[in-house]
Every structure is written in structure tokens, then in C-alpha cells.
Amino acid sequence: MDCKHASTLMHDYFDGDLVHEQAVELKGHLNSCPACSARFQQLEQTEMKLFATLRHDRISAPDSLVSRIMSEIPSQRRQQPWLKMIKRHPALTAAAIFLVVMLFSAVSLMKADDQLIVKVGDLDQVVINGHIVTVPEGSTVTGNLTVENGKAEILGNVEGNLTVVDGSYYQASTAHISGKVKSIDQALDWIWYRISNAFSDVAYR
């Protein structure tokens, strides 16, 4: 064993990380090397003094240092009670949100029950006169056509679905609607329609 290796084993010895075979090998080197033996004794004395100091005189950090360290530690954000409830009861939360949306839809229904609402891809293909929305003969609406609080007169073509909410529709014998025709006149159906189309672009007149 050389002295460099012995020096490493000395530190492991004082740290309590030395196995029995290494301890025996280190002891043999110390018996044959006066320099390493003297170094070992110095380390042993230093270790004993340090242990005695820690045992009889407890070392504590200054209050200013403790305060500074504590101030640097980011405080844990308190989770809001309502957020905890959402995580614990997702189904109940979804039902509550649905009821709130239905309530606001009902309020919207009461406020806008006489307002004509037309939803169509191209307004140039329809003629609006009062509460009557007409697709003239020879005109073609590409996409879905929705009319709320009015009457839809289909004299031309609708390449999509026709939906009439709280109103009526007329289709000429020469007209053509490629999609489905749906008339909504019940409050619950109307509210569900409003929910499903809450984020759609609507043209108002």
C-alpha cells in the first residue's frame, strides 16, 4: 500500500466507512510507515477535539443567518378549498357547471325571446325581411342554416341542415335541403341547443 492510498483510508476510517480487511491493511501500513503513522495521530487528535467541542459546546447558527435562509425558502401556496372540492368530486362539479349553464341559457332565452338570430355561412345567400329569412329561388346556401325567433322560407337550396328555433319554416316543392330539418320549440330542447352552440359564431339582426 502506498501513502496516498493510506491517506484515503484514514479519512474513511474516521468516517466509519472502512471495512475490516481495509482496517487491517491500513494498520499494517501505519506500523511500517512513520510519516503516515504521525499523520494518523494528528487526524485522530483533531477528530477527538472536534467531538469534544460539539459535545460540550453546542454550535448554533446566528439568528440573522437562520432568518435569511428561511426567507429564501419559497412558501407553499395554500390550495383553495373550492379547488380541493373539484378534485374530490369531479362528477358533482360537472353537474353543477351544467346546471349553471342551463340557468344562464334560460335567462338568455327570456331576454332575447323576440330577437331574430340567423346563423349561416354566407349571409349574401339569404334575404332577411323582418322576422322572415328567405333563401331565394336559384340561391344555394352551402352549410347549415339556423333561424331563431323567425320564419324560414326555403325557395332555393340548402346544402346542409336547417334548424328552426321558436319559429316555423316553409319549403317550396322546387326547393332542396340536403341535410336534416329540425324544429325546436320546447324550452328544454332550446336550452340544450344553446349549450351545444354556445361558442358558435352567430349573425344578429
Side-chain angles (χ1 to χ4, degrees), residues 12-198:
D12 292 339
Y13 171 82
F14 290 113
D15 291 338
D17 297 333
L18 208 62
V19 298
H20 177 72
E21 291 79 5
Q22 291 176 324
V24 172
E25 187 178 1
L26 175 63
K27 184 177 180 181
H29 178 79
L30 294 177
N31 290 334
S32 61
C33 180
C36 287
S37 178
R39 176 174 174 77
F40 181 84
Q41 292 178 4
Q42 292 177 354
L43 290 174
E44 188 176 32
Q45 292 177 359
T46 302
E47 186 79 9
M48 293 178 61
K49 290 180 180 179
L50 180 61
F51 177 76
T53 302
L54 293 176
R55 184 176 180 180
H56 296 95
D57 185 14
R58 184 178 179 182
I59 300 175
S60 60
D63 293 339
S64 58
L65 178 60
V66 175
S67 300
R68 189 176 66 181
I69 294 175
M70 294 301 294
S71 64
E72 293 294 332
I73 299 176
S75 59
Q76 185 178 6
R77 296 180 61 184
R78 293 185 58 187
Q79 195 174 43
Q80 297 296 332
W82 60 268
L83 188 57
K84 292 181 180 179
M85 187 188 70
I86 289 177
K87 291 182 177 180
R88 291 180 182 176
H89 309 286
L92 181 62
T93 303
I97 293 175
F98 178 77
L99 291 176
V100 170
V101 172
M102 288 184 63
L103 176 62
F104 278 100
S105 298
V107 172
S108 176
L109 170 63
M110 290 185 293
K111 289 184 178 180
D113 55 355
D114 292 332
Q115 186 179 26
L116 176 66
I117 301 176
V118 180
K119 179 183 175 184
V120 63
D122 188 0
L123 280 174
D124 294 337
Q125 299 300 320
V126 299
V127 176
I128 301 176
N129 185 12
H131 280 67
I132 300 176
V133 180
T134 304
V135 178
E137 186 177 355
S139 297
T140 299
V141 172
T142 303
N144 299 329
L145 172 61
T146 301
V147 178
E148 299 182 28
N149 304 315
K151 180 180 180 180
E153 287 187 342
I154 310 303
L155 307 179
N157 301 319
V158 176
E159 298 297 332
N161 300 326
L162 172 63
T163 304
V164 179
V165 182
D166 280 347
S168 60
Y169 75 95
Y170 167 77
Q171 181 179 353
S173 59
T174 58
H176 174 71
I177 301 175
S178 64
K180 297 181 180 180
V181 178
K182 186 174 183 181
S183 179
I184 301 173
D185 55 8
Q186 295 182 0
L188 186 58
D189 289 340
W190 192 95
I191 292 174
W192 178 250
Y193 168 78
R194 293 289 295 179
I195 294 173
S196 61
N197 292 274

